[in-house]
Amino acid sequence: MIKRTLAAVLCAGLLVCPAAAAGAPQVEAGAAVLMEKETGTILCEQNAHDKREPASVTKVMTLLLVMEALDEGRIAPTDQVTVSAHAASMGGSQVYLKEGEQMSVEELVKAVAVVSGNDAAVALAEHIDGSEEAFVARMNEKAAQLGMADTNFVNCTGLPAAGHLTSAYDIALMSRALILDHSGIRAYSTIWMDTIRGGSFQLANTNKLVRYYEGCTGLKTGSTDSALYCLSATAEREGMELIAVVLGSPTSAQRFDAAQSLLTYGFANYTLVDVRPDQAIPPVSVSLGVADTVQPVLENGSRILVEKSQLNQISTSLQLSDGVEAPVEPGQKLGELIVSAGDAPLQRIPLVADQAVARITVPGLFLRLMKTLFLAG
């Protein structure tokens, strides 16, 4: 739907966004992706499938599995987690958990989402699956389910480990799954400052965009000497949420500048619009059915992503089947709503049956014939 143009400057580590939209930013990063949440459309990409170290951006997947466990009721926010020696031994970013210390799931999630606590991430992993190894196996299973073909997780923290790799595209996929299916993560990812341990331990968000970028909803920072500075940043304006992934920026400031530039570009040039048919959708005739017609409806939501410059050019047209034979299944495709900008088609939205239509039986067919003859007489 959206043309992608990558210029030769990519070799210099610069990002070029779709040529169709004006003002594409250039950012310094080893890899980057800008994705729209609802449709999953990629608006910009640079080296999107290069396998790179993600550092603590790994914890997007950790948080995804934790939120799944919370939403499914397998764990509760008030559960008390006893910290193991393994969890307490984690280096890097941490909240200095002690072996045998107890902390609630809610406080541990806060520690992961706000200050990227490696010890808190491992404590949660062990609480959910019994060991970090079992949890990491689940991380890789989830990655496969999401189509993250560039990814292999070795731990749940993002601490340097041989073979622990992913890509900007895959990070966008798991970030989308987290914010799309588990909106409760916002209660944690939008915290700027908070405390744990009854107020005795201060937390300040490592994602500075939460404080100064309008509409920021999260999501996760990361940095190591080898991964450099990484970020998956999410923000929402006017009902559209975007995901900007930046990997391998030279400095912390540059990763935030890069993500901000990408998000601002996306909000300036794209929007989600509700499309409706220019006319009422007529029913489709059904032969040999208990009903003579079936009503087509839009299969999915009618919101589509368009460039703002195309807003005044949007039109729709219907393409419907001349008729179908029973039985008709609910959701059976009956045609398409074609959305265009000027003469260029943008999207085809399936039109499907709103209900089932059973095939008429021989006795039913006989009764229908008798009724027709009776009325004719």
Side-chain angles (χ1 to χ4, degrees):
M1 183 178 73
I2 297 173
K3 294 181 180 178
R4 301 170 186 166
T5 302
L6 296 179
V9 291
L10 292 185
C11 297
L14 298 179
L15 174 69
V16 175
C17 292
Q26 295 184 342
V27 299
E28 291 188 19
V33 161
L34 178 66
M35 175 185 283
E36 190 279 315
K37 177 191 75 175
E38 190 168 319
T39 64
T41 302
I42 299 294
L43 304 180
C44 298
E45 62 179 272
Q46 168 199 331
N47 303 329
H49 292 280
D50 282 6
K51 295 183 179 182
R52 304 182 64 93
E53 294 181 53
S56 282
V57 180
T58 296
K59 296 187 183 83
V60 171
M61 180 60 83
T62 304
L63 289 167
L64 173 56
L65 295 186
V66 170
M67 294 306 296
E68 278 188 357
L70 283 166
D71 290 346
E72 292 169 4
R74 290 187 282 118
I75 61 173
T78 55
D79 284 354
Q80 293 296 307
V81 178
T82 301
V83 178
S84 71
H86 176 58
S89 71
M90 291 297 111
S93 301
Q94 56 185 299
V95 291
Y96 304 99
L97 296 174
K98 304 297 184 184
E99 181 181 358
E101 179 181 359
Q102 288 197 321
M103 187 172 286
S104 70
V105 164
E106 182 170 36
E107 288 205 322
L108 289 170
V109 174
K110 205 183 291 185
V112 173
V114 179
V115 297
S116 198
N118 294 318
D119 45 4
V122 174
L124 285 166
E126 292 175 337
H127 181 64
I128 292 171
D129 280 316
S131 70
E132 184 181 8
E133 291 76 16
F135 187 85
V136 171
R138 189 191 294 267
M139 291 171 69
N140 284 312
E141 288 173 8
K142 187 66 177 181
Q145 291 172 13
L146 294 174
M148 296 169 58
D150 307 321
T151 298
N152 180 66
F153 293 117
V154 176
N155 57 51
C156 68
T157 59
L159 286 167
H164 187 92
L165 300 168
T166 186
S167 66
Y169 178 79
D170 282 5
I171 290 171
L173 288 181
M174 66 180 180
S175 299
R176 179 177 184 247
L178 176 57
I179 63 176
L180 183 65
D181 299 332
H182 305 283
S183 59
I185 190 62
R186 282 197 186 189
Y188 304 99
S189 63
T190 57
I191 292 171
W192 171 236
M193 298 192 75
D194 207 331
T195 62
I196 56 174
R197 296 190 176 103
S200 65
F201 192 93
Q202 297 284 329
L203 305 175
N205 205 317
T206 57
N207 181 7
K208 306 312 177 187
L209 297 184
V210 168
R211 185 175 187 183
Y212 65 75
Y213 189 77
E214 179 190 349
C216 183
T217 56
L219 190 60
K220 193 71 204 67
T221 60
S223 64
T224 64
D225 289 344
S226 51
L228 302 180
Y229 291 89
C230 308
L231 175 65
S232 178
T234 56
E236 182 175 19
R237 294 182 186 175
E238 299 179 352
M240 181 176 73
E241 193 163 12
L242 300 178
I243 302 158
V245 179
V246 177
L247 298 180
S249 279
T251 68
S252 179
Q254 283 173 310
R255 71 174 162 186
F256 291 124
D257 288 345
Q260 181 172 320
S261 294
L262 294 173
L263 293 168
T264 299
Y265 164 80
F267 289 126
N269 289 282
Y270 296 91
T271 188
L272 288 167
V273 296
D274 286 303
V275 293
R276 293 284 185 271
D278 295 333
Q279 62 192 71
I281 304 176
V284 171
S285 62
V286 179
S287 60
L288 300 177
V290 296
D292 294 330
T293 62
V294 63
Q295 182 60 47
V297 295
L298 291 170
E299 180 183 40
N300 302 311
S302 57
R303 298 220 304 171
I304 67 167
L305 184 73
V306 300
E307 293 175 25
K308 287 185 175 180
S309 62
Q310 298 174 324
L311 278 175
N312 294 329
Q313 307 169 38
I314 301 296
S315 63
T316 62
S317 59
L318 294 174
Q319 196 172 74
L320 286 173
S321 171
D322 292 333
V324 292
E325 182 178 313
V328 177
E329 300 294 330
Q332 181 175 324
K333 187 174 179 181
L334 301 173
E336 293 178 325
L337 176 69
I338 303 170
V339 185
S340 302
D343 296 329
L346 291 179
Q347 193 164 333
R348 294 174 176 265
I349 303 175
L351 295 168
V352 299
D354 68 342
Q355 60 185 356
V357 179
R359 192 176 182 89
I360 196 167
T361 63
V362 173
L365 189 60
F366 179 74
L367 287 174
R368 178 182 291 181
L369 179 60
M370 289 298 99
K371 186 183 293 185
T372 302
L373 293 173
F374 177 77
L375 291 174

